[in-house]
Amino acid sequence: MRKWLSLRHWKSTFVRIYKLLVSREVAITDKLLFLVPVILYWVLPDALPFVPIDDIAVTMLLAEWFARRMEKKYNRIR
């Protein structure tokens, strides 16, 4: 739980996300797997009115998931 509240953890997560998104080795479909849900959730927050999770929380959870998945798939990118 302490890791999830650490600003250092989230800074490194978003640095990892940036590196993955600009990397030419990561397929565009994998990049869209992260970007499309995040953008849709930010643009259409009323589509899921009964989900009490804030936009930034969804983005942070997806960022953590995406970074781990892509780093396992493309283990050369770090």
Side-chain angles (χ1 to χ4, degrees), residues 10-66:
W10 290 112
K11 178 186 174 202
S12 69
T13 298
F14 285 109
V15 168
R16 290 168 38 213
I17 291 295
Y18 177 77
K19 287 180 182 179
L20 289 165
L21 290 176
V22 298
S23 173
R24 292 185 179 182
E25 294 179 21
V26 178
I28 189 74
T29 54
D30 290 333
K31 293 175 185 179
L32 291 175
L33 184 65
F34 170 69
L35 290 174
V36 170
V38 168
I39 291 170
L40 286 178
Y41 198 84
W42 278 78
V43 174
L44 304 170
D46 297 330
L48 301 169
F50 300 110
V51 178
I53 300 176
D54 192 27
D55 298 345
I56 193 68
V58 170
T59 303
M60 292 169 75
L61 291 172
L62 283 174
E64 184 72 28
W65 170 80
F66 177 75

Side-chain angles (χ1 to χ4, degrees), residues 2-3 5-15:
R2 184 173 234 165
K3 176 177 88 169
L5 298 176
S6 168
L7 292 177
R8 186 176 299 148
H9 168 73
W10 290 112
K11 178 186 174 202
S12 69
T13 298
F14 285 109
V15 168

